[in-house]
Amino acid sequence: MTVSSENELVVITGASTGIGAATAREMAQRGFHVLAGVRRDRDADAIRAANVEPLILDITNSDQIRALASRVSEDPQRRPLRALVNNAAVQANVPIEVFGIEQWRDMFEVNLFGHVAVIQALLPTLIESGGRVVNISSVGGKIAMATYGPYAGTKFALEAMSDSLRREVAPHGVQVVVIEPGAVRTEMLGRAIANAHELLAAMTPEQRHRYGGLVHAVNAQAEASTKSGLPAEAAAAVIAKAITARKPRTRYTVGREAALLPVTRLLPDRLLDRIFAAALRPHLPKENARLDSAPTRR
């Protein structure tokens, strides 16, 4: 069974492209009025459509978050807030040693603290409407492969925050759902690869010697898996289910890789290290083909 979509609001952050944009279109087609958070005017123009109202929203900007909360609470049609979908994210696959501490802080600002700020701003309205919070995590919220440390760190934290929030607000009628996508074809991968190349160019010669082959292999592997991954619309359909199911699950996975997550929890860490290293081996430059001799971080 699903909840009614008549005269209800859905807020989606990070709706410029990819999963966020696809979810905005999906929910609009189902009759919800979507407040789609984007960062640029041209993105707003691109996504504006029937039942899709773009809002300029940088989730690290407190003034824009307050403006979003006011738009929701002062809705001219007094529509209840059905769901907040926290989708905004940034990614860079880079070794921990070479990712500057300020870059770590910036990634946590977007991938965790910004979501917390939006939740805090909209939670009173969600409690009033009996709505729900849908947090978009990742396979990286359960498994931290080599060079995924910063990104996975934010997603592990998002998963933990979601669990705690779910237990806090359930007595008040608010449901919290986590979505864990695997390989999905979105623009974020291209940005992550570009970021990795910039960081690689900024490494010292010693760091490039240590990590150059690894970064190349990880990016090649990610690009190959994403080409065969699901379209963003497939993820949007799962998110729509999480929003509309009368009794949603606490977690939904998207794609084959994510569906295998329970299996990985049964394996010893050292075995996972070897599995991940072996999976990277075909993508290594020839001069780095001995990567499997080094353990993969977890």
Side-chain angles (χ1 to χ4, degrees):
M1 297 180 65
T2 61
V3 298
S4 169
S5 63
E6 185 177 358
N7 295 322
E8 291 184 307
L9 298 175
V10 171
V11 171
I12 303 174
T13 70
S16 297
T17 60
I19 292 174
T23 303
R25 292 190 292 266
E26 177 71 23
M27 298 312 299
Q29 290 172 3
R30 292 175 182 235
F32 292 87
H33 186 81
V34 178
L35 301 178
V38 299
R39 295 190 62 190
R40 297 169 296 192
D41 289 335
R42 67 173 179 269
D43 296 328
D45 294 337
I47 200 171
R48 184 178 286 107
N51 287 340
V52 179
E53 177 186 340
L55 299 175
I56 299 299
L57 178 63
D58 177 345
I59 64 170
T60 68
N61 185 311
S62 58
D63 291 336
Q64 292 179 7
I65 292 173
R66 281 192 292 270
L68 168 66
S70 295
R71 168 64 187 83
V72 170
S73 63
E74 299 169 8
D75 181 63
Q77 298 185 34
R78 302 178 64 84
R79 291 168 289 206
L81 179 59
R82 168 50 48 193
L84 162 63
V85 181
N86 287 307
N87 173 70
V90 294
Q91 181 178 354
N93 297 337
V94 61
I96 289 170
E97 179 186 353
V98 301
F99 201 54
I101 194 64
E102 289 304 320
Q103 293 167 311
W104 277 84
R105 292 190 175 103
D106 289 344
M107 186 167 286
F108 269 85
E109 284 290 342
V110 176
N111 291 3
L112 179 66
F113 303 143
H115 298 317
V116 172
V118 176
I119 289 168
Q120 289 176 336
L122 295 184
L123 195 53
T125 304
L126 285 165
I127 291 172
E128 181 180 351
S129 64
R132 61 193 61 173
V133 177
V134 180
N135 291 329
I136 311 304
S137 181
S138 166
V139 169
K142 297 294 188 182
I143 298 174
M145 297 180 290
T147 77
Y148 282 79
Y151 178 72
T154 66
K155 293 300 186 179
F156 269 63
L158 181 67
E159 296 257 358
M161 183 272 289
S162 299
D163 284 341
S164 184
L165 179 68
R166 185 181 69 250
R167 291 157 184 156
E168 292 168 359
V169 299
H172 306 290
V174 176
Q175 296 168 311
V176 178
V177 181
V178 174
I179 309 293
E180 296 168 339
V184 177
R185 297 194 298 272
T186 69
E187 293 83 349
M188 190 168 77
L189 172 66
R191 293 193 292 268
I193 291 175
N195 289 339
H197 285 312
E198 290 178 6
L199 290 165
L200 182 61
M203 290 182 194
T204 66
E206 184 180 10
Q207 290 170 340
R208 280 196 296 273
H209 177 74
R210 273 200 290 272
Y211 304 119
L214 173 63
V215 172
H216 173 88
V218 168
N219 288 334
Q221 181 191 52
E223 192 167 15
S225 65
T226 302
K227 284 180 180 178
S228 61
L230 295 172
E233 288 74 17
V238 176
I239 296 169
K241 183 177 181 179
I243 293 172
T244 60
R246 194 167 296 279
K247 293 183 178 180
R249 304 204 307 257
T250 58
R251 279 173 171 79
Y252 292 86
T253 59
V254 181
R256 180 182 58 192
E257 298 87 351
L260 292 174
L261 283 174
V263 177
T264 63
R265 298 188 193 118
L266 302 176
L267 300 178
D269 288 348
R270 298 299 186 190
L271 177 57
L272 280 175
D273 291 348
R274 291 195 293 272
I275 290 172
F276 292 146
L280 280 178
R281 198 179 305 126
H283 304 282
L284 282 168
K286 291 182 179 179
E287 63 271 19
N288 296 96
R290 294 172 56 202
L291 176 69
D292 56 303
S293 64
T296 301
R297 290 185 176 86
R298 183 182 187 281

